[in-house]
Amino acid sequence: MAWDFETDPEYQRKLDWVAEFVRAEVEPLDLLYPNPYDRTDPEIRALMRPLQQQVKDQGMWACHLGPELGGPGFGQLKLALLNEVLGTSMWAPLVFGCQAPDSGNAEILAHFGTAEQKAKYLQPLLDGEIGSCYAMTEPTGGSDPTAFRTTAVRDGDEWVINGEKWFNSAAEFATFHIVMVVTDPEAEPHQRLSMFIVPADAPGLELVRNFTVPGFSEHEAHLRFTDVRVPADHLLGAEGAGFVVAQTRLGGGRVHHAMRTVALVRKAFDMMCERAVSRPARKGVLGGFQMTQERIADSWIQMEQFRLLVLRTAWRIDQAQDYRAVRKDIAAIKIAMPTVMNDIARRALHLHGAMGVSTDLPFLDMTTYAEVMAIADGPTEVHKITLAKEVLKNYAPGDPVYPSGYRPALREQARDLVSRRLEHEVGNH
């Protein structure tokens, strides 16, 4: 029987190194350089390279990748434990070579890219030399691919792309984009779309503007494609297989977001507890009051429940080796994530009083992050529908009038059972 809540001692030593490295060397950079994605900035490159080399020397670089791609192939459970540490810092994922959207785009290229595409785009991406963008959502279609309007039409040896994409993270710093577009409007809804590599310098590709999400990102781009031509060999996967290609990155991406959210939740909780035992109030400290104690108790339970759900989901992915087999669990952590983050950040903010609502403390950023997580990679409402459907698959219909818990019928069944047992006992004596 395998039922273990302990981390392998050797890997725990690695995690301990990561925790101290992130605390001492990486987190300070967040306070001075809020955007580490601009690889053309010589100052950022000068700071990033030696840190990345230390990570590589420790064998902790690009841990989401298999050995064939230069990573250790840790699996989702080890990644979950690692991301619990990395999630406190904007810089940390880039220092460790596992930042979004590059990590998901690398998975797509590894699974569906040609040898030429891997040499031109994947290897420099893995090496941290270039950045990428994932362009999926649209101004009118949101994150619902069946409502997308951006199209690609075949013209000889090229595809011509027209349309607009919306809230594309780090597009300003990308060397290439992976773009989901409609290639056959007449096909079934889930076979209408295809995925393409589009170089960032392609004629007709315009960055209309960047949106700012306070405390999260200043580089959420509105992209416009006007007769953008890409070679036919820039198609990723088969024509009409855009949904299949997308799931290669979205399943893992949702889990990784949840893993990093665990880290932020823990940070908010620790700050709340520190405040509770530090802030004087009447004859003691805030932590001596029952309402404060209730907030801490509720927060600890939420945090631990969420963490265990995330870790179990990661473990199940490792067991199944198929994100589709764990759809229910992935949907569940996606649903729980914004609520847990918002609840605990809000309680911590409130306990810090006036300073809690200022930008000198991170709680407003955390509440914004919670709302972002309720929208990114599909809104909460969609995942609730997915979860409910997956759960209901395991149930068979019963009597539409008298449900299985109808006590009069159960009582009669119990009488029959007891009568048979009594007859058996009497017969044996």
Side-chain angles (χ1 to χ4, degrees):
M1 176 179 178
W3 191 258
D4 197 347
F5 291 92
E6 291 184 341
T7 304
D8 173 77
E10 182 179 350
Y11 188 58
Q12 184 60 56
R13 285 191 288 273
K14 288 288 189 183
L15 293 176
D16 292 341
W17 177 85
V18 172
E20 177 58 24
F21 178 72
V22 169
R23 185 197 64 78
E25 302 291 340
V26 181
E27 285 186 358
L29 299 177
D30 287 302
L31 301 172
L32 302 177
Y33 302 92
N35 174 38
Y37 282 85
D38 187 359
R39 292 167 177 82
T40 64
D41 186 328
E43 196 165 309
I44 287 178
R45 289 174 70 91
L47 290 166
M48 188 85 75
R49 290 302 174 80
L51 295 175
Q52 290 175 331
Q53 189 57 54
Q54 290 185 64
V55 170
K56 292 175 181 178
D57 292 343
Q58 289 286 330
M60 300 297 285
W61 175 258
C63 292
H64 61 293
L65 298 174
E68 72 281 0
L69 295 175
F74 275 176
Q76 295 299 319
L77 183 54
K78 281 190 170 182
L79 280 176
L81 295 168
L82 175 62
N83 277 286
E84 274 193 282
V85 183
L86 303 186
T88 59
S89 166
M90 178 69 76
W91 271 68
L94 284 101
V95 170
F96 282 75
C98 59
Q99 71 281 358
D102 298 333
S103 56
N105 289 343
E107 290 190 65
I108 286 179
L109 287 166
H111 281 89
F112 299 100
T114 64
E116 292 77 12
Q117 290 168 348
K118 290 177 182 178
K120 185 174 182 179
Y121 298 109
L122 177 58
Q123 195 55 53
L125 192 64
L126 298 179
D127 293 338
E129 296 294 332
I130 63 174
S132 65
C133 171
Y134 183 64
M136 178 177 170
T137 54
E138 296 193 359
T140 57
S143 60
D144 178 9
T146 63
F148 286 175
R149 298 179 180 178
T150 301
T151 61
V153 178
R154 186 70 181 259
D155 182 20
D157 292 333
E158 295 179 315
W159 288 87
V160 183
I161 302 174
N162 283 281
E164 300 189 10
K165 292 292 179 180
W166 191 249
F167 279 80
N168 305 287
S169 299
E172 182 178 354
F173 311 110
T175 299
F176 68 95
H177 308 270
I178 292 182
V179 187
M180 180 181 271
V181 297
V182 177
T183 49
D184 185 357
E186 305 304 319
E188 293 294 321
H190 288 80
Q191 297 175 347
R192 297 168 57 230
L193 296 138
S194 302
M195 205 79 82
F196 289 90
I197 298 173
V198 179
D201 58 359
L205 175 54
E206 174 191 2
L207 197 162
V208 179
R209 61 164 297 187
N210 273 315
F211 293 94
T212 296
V213 181
F216 181 76
S217 170
E218 297 178 353
H219 306 280
E220 299 296 318
H222 175 188
L223 298 177
R224 180 173 294 143
F225 298 78
T226 305
D227 293 332
V228 175
R229 290 181 172 269
V230 295
D233 63 7
H234 277 43
L235 176 69
L236 285 162
E239 184 179 340
F243 268 89
V244 175
V245 177
Q247 288 308 312
T248 302
R249 83 185 306 282
L250 290 176
R254 289 164 183 148
V255 179
H256 299 163
H257 278 313
M259 295 167 181
R260 290 169 187 159
T261 300
V262 171
L264 281 179
V265 168
R266 174 74 66 182
K267 182 175 183 178
F269 180 78
D270 287 344
M271 292 182 70
M272 176 166 53
C273 292
E274 180 190 68
R275 178 71 168 182
V277 299
S278 304
R279 182 70 159 88
R282 295 185 184 177
K283 296 181 179 180
V285 293
L286 283 175
F289 290 91
Q290 289 181 342
M291 291 188 71
T292 299
Q293 293 164 0
E294 180 186 44
R295 291 186 176 111
I296 290 170
D298 288 344
S299 297
W300 188 88
I301 291 169
Q302 276 187 291
M303 177 176 65
E304 292 301 314
Q305 287 175 332
F306 178 58
R307 179 177 186 266
L308 289 173
L309 183 60
V310 172
L311 291 174
R312 191 186 69 171
T313 300
W315 175 81
R316 285 185 167 173
I317 294 170
D318 286 344
Q319 299 302 305
Q321 292 297 307
D322 184 356
Y323 290 122
R324 292 171 298 180
V326 197
R327 286 185 71 198
K328 175 171 88 287
D329 305 77
I330 294 174
I333 61 174
K334 180 66 170 64
I335 294 163
M337 180 168 33
T339 300
V340 174
M341 181 76 258
N342 181 72
D343 286 354
I344 295 176
R346 181 175 50 81
R347 293 179 192 128
L349 180 155
H350 191 74
L351 222 60
H352 281 77
M355 188 179 288
V357 296
S358 76
T359 56
D360 283 356
L361 291 176
F363 303 122
L364 289 177
D365 292 350
M366 289 177 176
T367 56
T368 298
Y369 175 85
E371 291 305 314
V372 171
M373 291 300 102
I375 297 170
D377 293 341
T380 298
E381 293 83 353
V382 170
H383 292 285
K384 286 186 175 181
I385 293 169
T386 297
L387 175 56
K389 287 180 177 179
E390 291 295 314
V391 168
L392 292 175
K393 285 179 182 179
N394 298 315
Y395 290 85
D399 190 300
V401 178
Y402 294 104
S404 60
Y406 181 60
R407 284 182 169 178
L410 293 174
R411 197 172 290 117
E412 287 301 316
Q413 294 171 17
R415 288 194 185 101
D416 290 343
L417 176 64
V418 170
S419 296
R420 289 194 300 271
R421 286 180 178 174
L422 288 173
E423 288 178 12
H424 178 74
E425 291 299 321
V426 171
N428 285 340
H429 290 82

